[in-house]
């Protein structure tokens, strides 16, 4: 019998404030008692999965940056100086680089 759910208190809000943390602690200790330390094989599998995730996310970030840099250079140069012929040739060169990247990576 818990103290807070006694009928003499007649304060359900107070009862809820006391019972919720008690229940949380009880379920938390039950969970921790069921947990076990991973063995060597399980640890290696988890480490491989994490390493593969790092590799995939790094590759995606690299690929996005690889595409973003030439496009950003084209857009920034366009805004800086539209009339300058020097940037026209650089823009054509960057567009060729982007086209080459798209052909090589078959996007």
């Amino acid at each position: 019998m818990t103290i807070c759910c006694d009928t003499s208190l007649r304060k359900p809000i107070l009862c809820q404030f006391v019972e919720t943390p008690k229940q949380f602690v009880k379920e938390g200790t039950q969970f921790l008692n069921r947990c076990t330390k991973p063995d060597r094989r399980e640890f290696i599998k988890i480490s491989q999965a994490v390493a593969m995730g790092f590799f995939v996310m790094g590759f995606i970030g690299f690929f996005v940056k690889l595409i973003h840099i030439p496009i950003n250079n084209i857009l920034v140069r366009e805004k800086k100086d539209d009339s300058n012929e020097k940037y026209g040739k650089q823009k054509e060169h960057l567009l060729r680089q982007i086209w080459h990247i798209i052909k090589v990576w078959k996007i």
Side-chain angles (χ1 to χ4, degrees):
M1 182 167 129
T2 60
I3 297 172
C4 76
C5 289
D6 191 13
T7 56
S8 63
L9 284 177
R10 298 185 189 236
K11 293 182 181 177
I13 295 174
L14 178 65
C15 179
Q16 185 180 7
F17 279 147
V18 173
E19 281 299 315
T20 304
K22 281 185 181 179
Q23 184 180 3
F24 177 75
V25 169
K26 181 181 175 185
E27 291 174 357
T29 54
Q30 288 175 350
F31 175 75
L32 289 176
N33 289 335
R34 289 184 192 154
C35 292
T36 58
K37 187 176 179 181
D39 59 348
R40 185 177 180 86
R41 191 172 135 245
E42 188 178 5
F43 179 76
I44 289 173
K45 278 185 129 178
I46 292 170
S47 299
Q48 287 174 344
V50 169
M52 187 58 116
F54 272 105
F55 176 74
V56 168
M57 292 303 291
F59 181 75
I60 290 171
F62 173 75
F63 188 70
V64 167
K65 194 69 172 176
L66 186 71
I67 296 299
H68 178 263
I69 290 172
I71 292 173
N72 192 29
N73 285 340
I74 291 170
L75 295 176
V76 170
R77 295 248 168 88
E78 263 184 21
K79 289 178 184 175
K80 272 187 179 177
D81 199 8
D82 270 340
S83 63
N84 199 342
E85 290 298 319
K86 179 175 104 177
Y87 291 120
K89 291 181 181 181
Q90 288 179 346
K91 189 182 346 178
E92 287 178 21
H93 179 68
L94 286 172
L95 285 172
R96 279 193 215 115
Q97 285 180 335
I98 293 172
W99 183 249
H100 178 71
I101 290 170
I102 291 172
K103 280 174 44 179
V104 168
W105 289 93
K106 296 180 182 176
I107 298 175

